């Protein structure tokens, strides 16, 4: 809304200063347009009406004034990333992920003027990523969408700063790719793995970590973020409220919030975990005593011999080497999570409970991610009544 100020010059003539705000520029400076208007009306009431009408017209004119700054996509994207880093609102992992997208994105559209980029240019970027036309890895549909999220955020930044009126990132066609088959551990495989880890004297920290992954279906970052203060031994629960991550050398090992708000949750600990936690605690106290002043008091369940949180890649690398030595099949750590959900589904646990255990936003996410498993469980359920009827029929047909 326009700001109007009444003034009078030395001759006593009435003037009105009309000021209109048009947002902020890329340096967060307010953009304003000002004009001085001399009314033709003579009475105060008519003068006020005339000035307000003029203010409305001037405001419309100002809103149509476009920022004619010429900037290419790469320059604006770097500017946006820098501003987001200063704000500190984007998660570190997301920010570093977007920085990693710059190379391939800039080769396609980085040199183009932001005002001249069209939907076809974004579509060409998707095609390049999907088919590896730039000589790099072919990306699946999910990764294509992640790249476009980055591109779209940059265009939204341009719109906010009045470089553009609209974004070209609408109604895009992503290129479907064959879905990678999800890996699961069978119950027998999990039992065998846990037994072998104990028999071969595997490092206790890793053994406990794998127990948490198998029995609670945690994401590895959530698991490594657990602190002793999160454990309630009286109630037998663990509170999941942080995420231990490592993106690159710039970030190092850092702590952030879980993936979503729903990922913050309280879970009941199985007795196997409650029994082994005191052993892990005693081992850490022994290490603390040996280290003295060198001990780092991180309070993490999963730490090295000096108390420092273990690197998020270490449980994966340790288990992979262990499986190679024992000549058993190695599957990703996330497979433990898939296995838990699959077993819960086939045990007829309701979808809401499953969603709460694994920390999905809602049951719809669980249904979507594990659609195939739910179909199998439904098919099995549909045959239950038929089997029951056949069993009863066979009993009735038996001779007395």
């Amino acid at each position: 809304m326009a700001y109007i100020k009444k003034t009078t010059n030395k001759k006593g003539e009435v003037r009105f200063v009309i000021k209109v705000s048009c947002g902020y520029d890329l340096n967060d400076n307010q953009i304003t347009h000002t004009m001085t208007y001399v009314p033709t009306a003579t009475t105060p009431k008519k003068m006020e009406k005339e000035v307000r009408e003029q203010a409305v017209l001037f405001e419309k004119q100002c809103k149509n004034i476009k920022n004619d700054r010429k900037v290419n996509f790469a320059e604006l994207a770097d500017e946006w990333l820098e501003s987001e880093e200063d704000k500190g609102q984007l998660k570190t992992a997301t920010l570093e992920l977007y920085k990693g997208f710059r190379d391939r994105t800039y080769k396609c559209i980085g040199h183009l003027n932001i005002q001249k980029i069209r939907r076809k240019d974004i579509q060409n970027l998707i095609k390049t990523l999907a088919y590896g036309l730039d000589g790099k890895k072919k990306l699946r549909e999910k990764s294509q969408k992640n790249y476009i999220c980055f591109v779209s955020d940059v265009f939204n930044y341009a719109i906010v700063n009045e470089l553009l009126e609209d974004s070209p990132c609408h109604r895009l066609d992503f290129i479907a790719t064959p879905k990678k088959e999800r890996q699961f551990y069978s119950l027998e495989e999990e039992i065998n793995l846990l037994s072998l880890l104990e028999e071969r004297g595997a490092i206790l920290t890793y053994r406990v970590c794998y127990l948490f992954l198998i029995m609670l279906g945690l994401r590895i970052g959530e698991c490594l973020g657990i602190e002793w203060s999160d454990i309630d031994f009286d109630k037998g629960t663990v509170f999941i409220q942080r995420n231990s991550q490592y993106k690159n050398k710039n970030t190092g090992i850092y702590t952030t919030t879980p993936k979503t708000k729903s990922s913050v949750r309280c879970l009941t600990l199985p007795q196997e975990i409650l029994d082994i936690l005191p052993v892990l605690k005693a081992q850490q106290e022994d290490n603390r005593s040996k280290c003295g002043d060198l001990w780092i008091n991180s309070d993490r369940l999963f730490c090295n011999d000096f108390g420092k949180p273990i690197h998020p890649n270490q449980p994966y690398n340790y288990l992979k080497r262990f499986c190679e030595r024992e000549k058993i099949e190695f599957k990703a750590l996330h497979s433990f999570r898939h296995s838990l959900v699959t077993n819960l589904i086939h045990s007829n646990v309701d979808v809401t409970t499953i969603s709460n255990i694994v920390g999905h936003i809602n049951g719809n996410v669980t249904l979507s991610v594990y659609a195939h498993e739910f179909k199998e469980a439904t098919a099995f359920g549909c045959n239950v009544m038929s089997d029951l009827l056949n069993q009863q029929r066979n009993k009735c047909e038996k001779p007395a």
Side-chain angles (χ1 to χ4, degrees):
M1 186 175 179
Y3 166 77
I4 303 172
K5 182 180 179 182
K6 183 180 178 180
T7 63
T8 307
N9 63 14
K10 293 180 180 180
K11 296 180 180 180
E13 296 172 334
V14 176
R15 302 282 191 275
F16 287 88
V17 176
I18 303 173
K19 183 184 290 186
V20 174
S21 174
C22 294
Y24 295 82
D25 63 17
L26 296 173
N27 297 314
D28 283 337
N29 297 317
Q30 190 174 25
I31 301 171
T32 59
H33 300 284
T34 306
M35 73 168 289
T36 301
Y37 180 72
V38 181
T40 58
T42 55
T43 64
K45 194 170 183 180
K46 289 183 178 180
M47 193 179 294
E48 181 182 352
K49 181 181 179 183
E50 183 182 335
V51 172
R52 289 195 179 281
E53 289 175 351
Q54 184 60 42
V56 171
L57 291 173
F58 182 58
E59 188 170 16
K60 287 182 179 179
Q61 293 173 4
C62 292
K63 296 299 182 183
N64 290 329
I65 297 175
K66 293 183 179 179
N67 188 334
D68 61 354
R69 178 189 174 198
K70 290 180 173 57
V71 57
N72 64 36
F73 181 87
E75 292 171 340
L76 192 67
D78 285 340
E79 194 172 276
W80 173 72
L81 285 169
E82 186 177 346
S83 70
E84 287 299 321
E85 198 161 12
D86 292 339
K87 290 177 187 176
Q89 294 177 353
L90 270 183
K91 283 191 174 184
T92 303
T94 303
L95 189 62
E96 292 300 319
L97 185 70
Y98 281 176
K99 286 180 179 179
F101 289 165
R102 289 180 295 184
D103 181 42
R104 299 186 73 171
T105 304
Y106 289 2
K107 285 181 180 178
C108 282
I109 62 172
H111 61 288
L112 299 176
N113 186 309
I114 194 75
Q115 296 173 342
K116 294 183 178 180
I117 296 177
R118 300 291 179 262
R119 178 184 176 278
K120 65 176 183 179
D121 299 308
I122 309 300
Q123 203 64 63
N124 184 58
L125 170 61
I126 293 173
K127 186 177 179 181
T128 300
L129 297 171
Y131 297 123
L133 301 180
D134 54 356
K136 297 193 175 182
K137 181 182 177 181
K138 298 178 182 179
L139 297 185
R140 290 184 293 170
E141 188 173 351
K142 182 179 179 181
S143 298
Q144 297 166 30
K145 291 179 178 178
N146 287 338
Y147 266 81
I148 300 308
C149 280
F150 162 57
V151 174
S152 181
D153 283 344
V154 175
F155 278 109
N156 289 337
Y157 179 68
I159 292 170
V160 168
N161 290 284
E162 300 188 325
L163 289 170
L164 292 174
E165 291 184 354
D166 195 15
S167 168
C169 298
H170 297 309
R171 300 176 297 279
L172 295 169
D173 297 320
F174 293 94
I175 298 172
T177 53
K179 289 187 177 180
K180 190 176 181 181
E181 188 175 347
R182 191 180 291 128
Q183 288 186 308
F184 301 90
Y185 281 98
S186 67
L187 290 174
E188 291 76 13
E189 287 175 323
E190 290 179 337
I191 292 170
N192 180 52
L193 178 61
L194 291 174
S195 298
L196 277 174
L197 286 165
E198 186 175 2
E199 290 173 12
R200 302 293 189 266
I203 295 174
L204 183 62
T205 299
Y206 294 122
R207 284 171 51 202
V208 178
C209 177
Y210 303 141
L211 272 175
F212 270 86
L213 296 179
I214 289 171
M215 295 186 173
L216 299 180
L218 300 179
R219 303 175 180 96
I220 185 61
E222 295 173 341
C223 185
L224 299 185
I226 298 173
E227 297 182 358
W228 286 104
S229 58
D230 299 323
I231 305 291
D232 188 326
F233 284 96
D234 293 331
K235 295 180 179 178
T237 60
V238 58
F239 186 44
I240 307 301
Q241 60 176 325
R242 66 184 68 80
N243 209 339
S244 186
Q245 293 285 325
Y246 176 90
K247 190 64 182 177
N248 51 42
K249 292 181 180 179
N250 294 328
T251 65
I253 300 173
Y254 65 94
T255 302
T256 183
T257 55
K259 188 174 182 180
T260 65
K261 289 182 180 180
S262 301
S263 297
V264 177
R265 58 203 189 277
C266 187
L267 300 174
T268 299
L269 289 171
Q271 193 59 47
E272 291 92 331
I273 292 179
L274 288 171
D275 289 342
I276 202 170
L277 283 178
V279 182
L280 180 64
K281 184 68 172 175
Q283 184 185 84
Q284 287 188 11
E285 291 299 327
D286 184 50
N287 288 337
R288 181 201 292 267
S289 177
K290 292 177 181 177
C291 290
D293 294 338
L294 296 177
W295 178 261
I296 299 170
N297 191 24
S298 67
D299 196 41
R300 292 288 170 87
L301 260 69
F302 306 109
C303 60
N304 63 16
D305 292 342
F306 293 90
K308 182 180 178 181
I310 63 175
H311 194 292
N313 291 342
Q314 283 181 291
Y316 175 94
N317 294 333
Y318 185 88
L319 186 61
K320 185 177 182 181
R321 289 193 296 268
F322 180 86
C323 290
E324 288 172 351
R325 286 198 305 271
E326 298 298 324
K327 294 181 173 53
I328 58 177
E329 184 180 2
F330 169 75
K331 299 173 184 178
L333 294 183
H334 211 67
S335 296
F336 292 132
R337 180 175 170 87
H338 295 321
S339 300
L340 173 77
V341 175
T342 302
N343 287 321
L344 291 176
I345 291 171
H346 288 283
S347 297
N348 297 320
V349 178
D350 65 276
V351 66
T352 302
T353 300
I354 297 174
S355 177
N356 292 336
I357 291 173
V358 297
H360 284 159
I361 295 175
N362 53 49
N364 290 333
V365 174
T366 311
L367 286 168
S368 173
V369 176
Y370 294 95
H372 179 69
E373 287 70 30
F374 277 105
K375 284 181 181 178
E376 285 186 347
T378 301
F380 174 79
C382 290
N383 290 322
V384 169
M385 191 61 190
S386 175
D387 293 340
L388 290 173
L389 288 171
N390 286 330
Q391 289 173 16
Q392 187 62 34
R393 188 180 292 113
N394 291 333
K395 288 181 180 178
C396 294
E397 291 176 353
K398 286 183 178 179

